[in-house]
Amino acid sequence: MEKEKVIDLLCERVMVDENDPVINRIWDEMTVLLSQNSNETINFLKDCTEKQLFYISEIIEDISYNLKSQEFINTLYELNAKFPNLQMESDIEIAKEFMEE
């Protein structure tokens, strides 16, 4: 995973209005990068700020689907405890459902 590229995309995402169609390209690129290697993604997410994780949470379901990893789900639990304002419970439940497919 190209950590710098993900950071660049996060910065770009912050500057883009949620109704701007370019957001789909940003989401797609971030999803691809964060779905390449579960260990690298987990380490990256553990180092994220709450604001960074807020924007990544927009695509967390897609990442969960691609990774289908119990360790990833465990990390989501940790991040939810660390940043309760993000309310990631539904993301965790969806990630668990993907594991059952």
Side-chain angles (χ1 to χ4, degrees), residues 54-68:
F54 170 79
Y55 287 105
I56 291 172
S57 71
E58 296 174 331
I59 57 167
I60 210 78
E61 291 177 18
D62 295 329
I63 298 166
S64 297
Y65 180 80
N66 292 337
L67 294 180
K68 294 181 182 165

Side-chain angles (χ1 to χ4, degrees), residues 21-83:
V22 76
I23 200 169
N24 292 312
R25 179 193 52 81
I26 296 168
W27 285 342
D28 289 346
E29 288 184 44
M30 279 200 306
T31 299
V32 167
L33 291 169
L34 292 170
S35 296
Q36 290 176 347
N37 182 300
S38 62
N39 290 331
E40 289 179 8
T41 296
I42 288 166
N43 290 331
F44 177 79
L45 293 178
K46 287 181 177 181
D47 288 339
C48 281
T49 65
E50 185 171 7
K51 186 172 184 177
Q52 289 171 325
L53 197 56
F54 170 79
Y55 287 105
I56 291 172
S57 71
E58 296 174 331
I59 57 167
I60 210 78
E61 291 177 18
D62 295 329
I63 298 166
S64 297
Y65 180 80
N66 292 337
L67 294 180
K68 294 181 182 165
S69 160
Q70 184 60 51
E71 189 176 350
F72 182 74
I73 293 169
N74 295 343
T75 301
L76 294 180
Y77 276 114
E78 292 172 25
L79 294 170
N80 190 49
K82 184 177 179 181
F83 303 116

